[in-house]
Amino acid sequence: MKKAGRPLILFVDGPNLNVLGTREPEVYGKMTLADIRREVTLAARREGAVTDFFQSNHEGEIVEKLQEARGRADGLVINPAGYTHTSVAIRDALLYAGIPAVEVHLSNPSSREPFRRTSTIEDVVVGRIAGFGGFGYVLALSALLNHLREAGGVAGR
Ligand code: DHK
């Protein structure tokens, strides 16, 4: 829930990110999702923001979470994982949510297989951070909060 005066930032992670740490660590790093969330929570506390975390391996559940975020969250950090490259439904839900969003990836998809070089959301997010492992989520939080402050405070409602 949103605390008075503190922006609520929702983190949404897509399929296979629940097994970070053991999943291709040479690509995605050794941090687990719990490790990343711990770092993000500490950073959010320092920056005066409140966090909410969601991970699903199911496209429809991600769509529903984004729909619920409309008018509720002030900002969104999203890693659609494999759905990045395929999901029109997640793009549509992001547009419905109407919340400033940062796209984050642990790896740098642009330096990998050709099918990872497209994103269905790249043109509807504020910006993208890729290639810095779990630390990218902290960078995304910081960049998003700075954007919200520059844009005149809390947005998305
Ligand atoms: C995560 C995945 O699961 C891949 O399917 C994407 C992304 C890249 C990442 O680097 O975080 O292609």
Side-chain angles (χ1 to χ4, degrees):
M1 293 297 286
K2 186 178 190 305
K3 288 192 191 157
R6 290 170 178 236
L8 171 61
I9 309 301
L10 172 63
F11 288 76
V12 173
D13 284 294
N16 299 304
L17 297 177
N18 56 317
V19 290
L20 282 180
T22 49
R23 175 194 181 201
E24 298 176 81
E26 66 288 357
V27 176
Y28 298 106
K30 289 183 182 155
M31 287 178 91
T32 65
L33 194 55
D35 293 335
I36 292 172
R37 288 176 174 179
R38 201 173 308 116
E39 292 300 319
V40 166
T41 301
L42 289 174
R45 213 169 280 160
R46 285 195 298 271
E47 299 233 33
V50 181
T51 50
D52 188 12
F53 298 106
F54 180 78
Q55 187 276 332
S56 176
N57 294 324
H58 305 281
E59 188 175 23
E61 288 183 0
I62 295 170
V63 166
E64 283 166 7
K65 189 68 184 178
L66 294 174
Q67 290 177 358
E68 287 165 19
R70 179 181 168 125
R72 185 176 158 266
D74 297 296
L76 178 74
V77 173
I78 184 164
N79 183 352
Y83 289 137
T84 304
H85 320 296
T86 62
S87 181
V88 174
I90 289 176
R91 175 197 170 87
D92 289 346
L94 196 52
L95 288 170
Y96 174 78
I99 298 165
V102 173
E103 179 181 348
V104 64
H105 298 286
L106 296 125
S107 68
N108 179 3
S110 301
S111 67
R112 299 177 62 194
E113 303 97 319
F115 66 83
R116 295 188 201 273
R117 293 187 192 148
T118 58
S119 161
T120 63
I121 65 168
E122 63 188 342
D123 60 322
V124 296
V125 293
V126 177
R128 309 173 79 203
I129 292 171
F132 296 99
F135 186 58
Y137 286 73
V138 174
L139 294 174
L141 172 71
S142 181
L144 184 55
L145 290 173
N146 185 63
H147 171 81
L148 292 175
R149 285 191 288 265
E150 288 196 343
V154 170
R157 69 193 62 241

